[in-house]
Amino acid sequence: DSGVTQTPKHLITATGQRVTLRCSPRSGDLSVYWYQQSLDQGLQFLIQYYNGEERAKGNILERFSAQQFPDLHSELNLSSLELGDSALYFCASSGPSSYNSPLHFGNGTRLTVT
Amino acid sequence: GQQVMQIPQYQHVQEGEDFTTYCNSSTTLSNIQWYKQRPGGHPVFLIQLVKSGEVKKQKRLTFQFGEAKKNSSLHITATQTTDVGTYFCAGLGGAGSYQLTFGKGTKLSVIP
């Protein structure tokens, strides 16, 4: 158990809809990362937050947004969903020294857009 | 932007054979991390390399970081069925960069 909690585990929704994925980092971790993993694809970096502030941004679509709350949990909002958004979305957290700390991944949320 | 290429994409080996995956970055890295993702699971951190030319071992796994800090490799000696999974390298860019870029991974299958 990595200590990172992601909910829900599975999400099935229709095109055009909006969903929210939730992540609780390991106790004490200040950084939260979001990654997208499509079938047989690598991990595409979406965005990183550190102690409530956006720290790095990857290939995140404008239809997607995220935030990290004062209690350090994070939410990833996906709107105007398309079939191509179907993927496994991972949240990861890292320790206080996020520059060199390894990432601890949650079990992921599998999103299916129909 | 920073790109991390990883080869091969797939590797099938007979149990007992060796396995190597290679990782190359388009830019000099501050450090490189390796992760393993079992089928149906999430990536799990294996190791981090920071110094130029660094070599680290974990039992049958040997990790190397190139002298120029732009490439890395993971070598598994005498593979076992428990080694099955996808191995990812992830590079952290130069000074001031916080973005950890993952390679596409090498999916290892071990035939008993």
Side-chain angles (χ1 to χ4, degrees):
Chain A
D1 182 16
S2 67
V4 178
T5 304
Q6 283 190 253
T7 56
K9 286 186 178 179
H10 302 277
L11 205 47
I12 301 174
T13 189
T15 54
Q17 295 299 304
R18 172 190 167 96
V19 297
T20 297
L21 282 53
R22 183 188 168 101
C23 170
S24 293
R26 286 190 324 163
S27 177
D29 284 358
L30 300 179
S31 277
V32 169
Y33 307 73
W34 286 98
Y35 285 87
Q36 179 193 58
Q37 185 174 45
S38 301
L39 194 63
D40 284 340
Q41 291 294 310
L43 292 153
Q44 297 294 319
F45 171 68
L46 297 178
I47 199 162
Q48 178 200 357
Y49 283 85
Y50 178 80
N51 203 19
E53 300 286 328
E54 183 184 304
R55 174 162 273 187
K57 209 167 187 176
N59 298 321
I60 187 167
L61 301 172
E62 284 191 13
R63 301 183 285 109
F64 296 0
S65 64
Q67 54 183 327
Q68 186 179 28
F69 295 87
D71 67 353
L72 301 178
H73 92 271
S74 178
E75 292 181 357
L76 178 67
N77 300 296
L78 315 176
S79 61
S80 303
L81 285 167
E82 302 174 359
L83 295 178
D85 297 327
S86 295
L88 193 51
Y89 291 83
F90 284 109
C91 168
S93 71
S94 67
S97 175
S98 65
Y99 186 69
N100 255 342
S101 299
L103 269 56
H104 300 271
F105 285 81
N107 289 329
T109 293
R110 182 167 295 283
L111 172 66
T112 303
V113 182
T114 62
Chain B
Q2 179 182 316
Q3 290 188 343
V4 175
M5 310 299 289
Q6 195 173 349
I7 57 168
Q9 190 174 356
Y10 301 96
Q11 185 80 57
H12 304 274
V13 300
Q14 203 75 35
E15 189 173 17
E17 291 182 339
D18 292 356
F19 158 77
T20 305
T21 173
Y22 301 90
C23 188
N24 286 287
S25 170
S26 57
T27 58
T28 302
L29 301 170
S30 297
N31 67 48
I32 195 153
Q33 299 175 8
W34 286 90
Y35 293 79
K36 176 183 178 181
Q37 184 177 20
R38 294 182 186 274
H42 59 270
V44 174
F45 173 77
L46 293 176
I47 208 160
Q48 176 173 270
L49 304 170
V50 179
K51 300 176 183 176
S52 168
E54 190 169 14
V55 178
K56 286 189 176 180
K57 292 191 176 184
Q58 285 181 351
K59 297 183 180 177
R60 294 178 294 104
L61 278 61
T62 301
F63 304 83
Q64 295 189 32
F65 200 10
E67 293 290 340
K69 300 183 73 172
K70 294 180 76 172
N71 62 289
S72 181
S73 65
L74 157 60
H75 179 82
I76 302 179
T77 303
T79 55
Q80 299 175 358
T81 54
T82 52
D83 295 325
V84 164
T86 301
Y87 292 85
F88 292 98
C89 63
L92 187 65
S97 171
Y98 293 98
Q99 184 171 330
L100 193 63
T101 302
F102 279 76
K104 287 192 181 293
T106 296
K107 190 171 183 178
L108 173 64
S109 299
V110 178
I111 306 162

